[in-house]
Amino acid sequence: MRRSSLLFLTLLVLWVLISQANHELAPLRISVFAGGLFVVFAALRMDRGEGLTAVFAAGLLHDAVSPVPFGTHALLFTAAHAFVYHVRHRVHREETLVGVLAALLSNLGIFLVLSFLVGRDLPVGVDPWPRLFADLLASQLALAAITPWFLVLQRRVLGWAGQTPFRTEHRA
């Protein structure tokens, strides 16, 4: 449980940083979504239960301040975690590039699902797709830039606390 708590603390820091970035980008009418980054370290480098606990808690944190039904982010983050965790044995998961690609693909999937969920409640005649495309482009560029730093931060926080990302690996 200690590793889950430490991982959640790093995700809380990320949430604060993304919130502040979005506050600064608001006059430009652009926002950054980094949902994939909340999932990738836990899915690639943690045990399933510990990673899932931290990711689910981070999803609930997102849900608390989002205009979607409570539990939506938690469910989507959990699903993305399950998918990445399921395929992680097929990739070199310690590689930074793999982490970046996993974050980008997870982010894309979560962003698209959220866009369709929120988009269905818009009034007739409103075309949200240009804005969503701009936000997705900004999000993916920001994610590609900050993912290597954040993966190292998460690994180091666990290391400073005397924890390692991997405990035991159970392969079927």
Side-chain angles (χ1 to χ4, degrees), residues 35-125:
L37 190 51
F38 284 85
V39 172
V40 70
F41 185 87
L44 289 176
R45 299 183 182 176
M46 299 287 287
D47 292 335
R48 180 178 35 213
E50 291 174 327
L52 200 54
T53 300
V55 166
F56 186 76
L60 292 177
L61 180 66
H62 275 77
D63 286 327
V65 296
S66 296
V68 294
F70 193 74
T72 302
H73 283 93
L75 178 66
L76 292 174
F77 286 11
T78 300
H81 177 276
F83 177 77
V84 174
Y85 186 86
H86 180 70
V87 299
R88 78 181 192 170
H89 69 280
R90 297 181 182 136
V91 297
H92 297 285
R93 58 187 174 183
E94 291 87 18
E95 301 261 344
T96 302
L97 182 60
V98 170
V100 171
L101 291 175
L104 289 171
L105 291 174
S106 297
N107 199 60
L108 176 64
I110 296 168
F111 185 91
L112 291 175
V113 170
L114 281 173
S115 297
F116 283 110
L117 289 175
V118 172
R120 68 181 180 172
D121 295 331
L122 293 174
V124 176

